[in-house]
Amino acid sequence: MEIPINSNGDTGTLPEDDSLEQAANLQWSLDEQVGSSRGTRDLQQVMVSGPNLNETSIVSGGYGGTAEGIISTSSIKGSNMHHSSSSSSSMTAEEASRGVAVEKIETVKKWGLNTYKCTKQMISERFGRGSRTVDLELEAQIEVLRDTKKKYENVLRLARALTNHFYNMVQTQHALGDTFADLSQKSPELRDEFGYNAETQKLLCKNGETLLGAVNFFVSSINTLVNKTMEDSLMTIKMYEGARLEFDAYRSDLEELSLGPKDAVAMARIDAAQQQYQVQKDKYERLRSDVIIKLKFLEENKVKVMHKQLLLFHNAISAYFAGNQQQLEQTLKQFNIKLRPPGADKPSWLEEQ
């Protein structure tokens, strides 16, 4: 059988081959449509799932592959940011601790330098080689205060001893009065004699308790004057004396530097010493003024307090030993002294809380 050839060299088709050609053409068109739609979908996938500026994916096997092998750069970026913030915070904490350490070192350095200067000044004054600032009038007032405090402490000690002895005597009189009263009931032949003595001891015991109230008030006031008011003034005086020592130490240091060379380094040291000298001078003058004011008010307060307390002590002692019960009670009213009722020596459990 011969196969005819047409003019353009294509093979001729048999009648039965038309169906095959049509089927092939149909298959080709379908493949073309499918390929076109698939290419469109691939392009859309590239546009949608492709890389952007904020997040880049490294894909194994090209676009449109499986999710396996994808490494998100956002996680890398996040880890780098976390590491950077943690390192910066640790550096900030380290810088803060370093700043605190430097500040402490500077404080210790200043304290050591100040201690050295003051110790040097104190030794120089003790051996008579250094000069010191002296306020003769103020120094005399301070010495008078210290001597007065010692004498008032002695008065306070004796007044407390008198209170203790007198308290014991009152307790003895109370017990003796009870014993006389009991014997008066059990000794008919001496009933009147024991009765008189029992009444006398009870009256002395009552007056003794009244006198104890006055003496205790006297002791309390003297104790406040000595151990609070005077002690507060002496604490201010102690601060003033320390400021005086520092002032003289920096003054001597400035004088020594002023006698030395006058080059640039020395002038800088002189300027720094001048500033420190001015600071210490201001502190010294401020505390000196405080001491003068406190001594003035202390003297006024001392005279007022002692005038009242000495008058109370004299009137109470005189009335007691004169047996004038009415005058003794009037003395306590005059100074607004209230006695505790019997059995009130021990505070209640509410007061102890």
Side-chain angles (χ1 to χ4, degrees):
M1 181 178 179
E2 293 182 359
I3 302 174
I5 301 174
N6 54 17
S7 62
N8 59 1
D10 292 334
T11 60
T13 57
L14 296 176
E16 61 270 16
D17 293 334
D18 293 339
S19 61
L20 293 175
E21 184 178 0
Q22 292 176 1
N25 292 333
L26 180 60
Q27 182 66 33
W28 179 83
S29 63
L30 289 174
D31 292 339
E32 185 177 4
Q33 292 177 3
V34 170
S36 176
S37 62
R38 182 178 298 174
T40 303
R41 287 197 303 268
D42 291 342
L43 180 60
Q44 291 177 353
Q45 186 175 0
V46 169
M47 295 298 293
V48 173
S49 62
N52 53 29
L53 295 177
N54 296 326
E55 182 177 0
T56 305
S57 300
I58 303 174
V59 183
S60 175
Y63 294 111
T66 60
E68 296 179 357
I70 298 177
I71 304 174
S72 176
T73 57
S74 61
S75 61
I76 300 175
K77 183 179 179 182
S79 63
N80 290 335
M81 291 179 63
H82 177 71
H83 177 70
S84 177
S85 61
S86 61
S87 61
S88 62
S89 62
S90 62
M91 289 180 63
T92 303
E94 183 179 355
E95 291 175 356
S97 60
R98 187 180 303 170
V100 172
V102 171
E103 184 179 356
K104 289 183 178 180
I105 292 174
E106 289 296 327
T107 302
V108 173
K109 183 179 178 181
K110 291 180 180 179
W111 174 83
L113 182 61
N114 184 73
T115 303
Y116 166 75
K117 292 180 181 293
C118 293
T119 304
K120 179 182 177 182
Q121 177 66 25
M122 183 173 58
I123 294 175
S124 299
E125 292 178 2
R126 185 165 297 179
F127 287 96
R129 293 195 299 266
S131 60
R132 64 187 299 265
T133 303
V134 180
D135 189 332
L136 296 178
E137 183 179 359
L138 185 58
E139 293 290 337
Q141 293 179 3
I142 292 174
E143 289 301 320
V144 169
L145 172 59
R146 287 174 174 156
D147 184 63
T148 303
K149 185 173 183 291
K150 290 180 180 179
K151 293 178 179 179
Y152 276 50
E153 287 174 344
N154 189 39
V155 171
L156 180 60
R157 180 182 60 82
L158 294 174
R160 283 174 171 168
L162 175 64
T163 303
N164 293 331
H165 295 322
F166 199 76
Y167 174 79
N168 292 329
M169 187 184 74
V170 170
Q171 294 299 315
T172 303
Q173 289 175 340
H174 188 276
L176 188 60
D178 292 341
T179 303
F180 283 159
D182 183 64
L183 289 173
S184 175
Q185 297 295 329
K186 297 179 179 179
S187 302
E189 66 280 2
L190 297 173
R191 177 179 300 173
D192 294 337
E193 288 79 359
F194 277 124
Y196 297 152
N197 282 276
E199 292 296 329
T200 301
Q201 294 301 321
K202 288 181 180 180
L203 179 61
L204 290 174
C205 183
K206 181 180 179 181
N207 292 342
E209 290 176 351
T210 306
L211 178 61
L212 275 175
V215 176
N216 281 329
F217 185 77
F218 175 82
V219 170
S220 176
S221 299
I222 300 299
N223 179 66
T224 301
L225 177 64
V226 173
N227 293 322
K228 291 186 178 180
T229 309
M230 290 185 177
E231 189 63 28
D232 178 70
S233 298
L234 289 174
M235 288 296 296
T236 306
I237 290 172
K238 186 176 180 180
M239 295 171 61
Y240 157 74
E241 291 175 344
R244 196 277 310 163
L245 182 63
E246 290 181 351
F247 167 68
D248 284 335
Y250 282 91
R251 177 182 55 79
S252 299
D253 186 44
L254 179 61
E255 291 175 355
E256 291 178 2
L257 291 174
S258 300
L259 297 175
K262 297 296 188 296
D263 55 1
V265 177
M267 291 303 297
R269 295 179 62 185
I270 290 175
D271 291 340
Q274 180 69 35
Q275 294 177 1
Q276 292 294 329
Y277 165 78
Q278 189 62 41
V279 170
Q280 298 299 328
K281 182 180 179 181
D282 294 341
K283 179 181 178 181
Y284 165 75
E285 292 179 351
R286 184 179 69 254
L287 287 172
R288 177 177 174 273
S289 177
D290 293 344
V291 170
I292 292 174
I293 293 173
K294 284 200 172 186
L295 288 178
K296 178 181 178 181
F297 283 107
L298 175 62
E299 184 64 23
E300 295 175 356
N301 187 37
K302 182 192 71 175
V303 171
K304 186 185 299 184
V305 169
M306 292 308 300
H307 174 77
K308 177 181 178 180
Q309 296 303 319
L310 290 174
L311 186 62
L312 164 67
F313 191 81
H314 174 267
N315 291 345
I317 292 291
S318 300
Y320 173 79
F321 284 101
N324 192 339
Q325 180 182 359
Q326 183 178 1
Q327 183 181 355
L328 183 59
E329 293 177 353
Q330 185 64 31
T331 300
L332 268 66
K333 290 180 181 179
Q334 179 184 354
F335 293 95
N336 298 321
I337 301 174
K338 296 181 179 180
L339 298 178
R340 289 185 177 182
D345 295 337
K346 184 178 180 181
S348 64
W349 66 275
L350 284 174
E351 294 176 341
E352 291 177 351
Q353 298 302 319

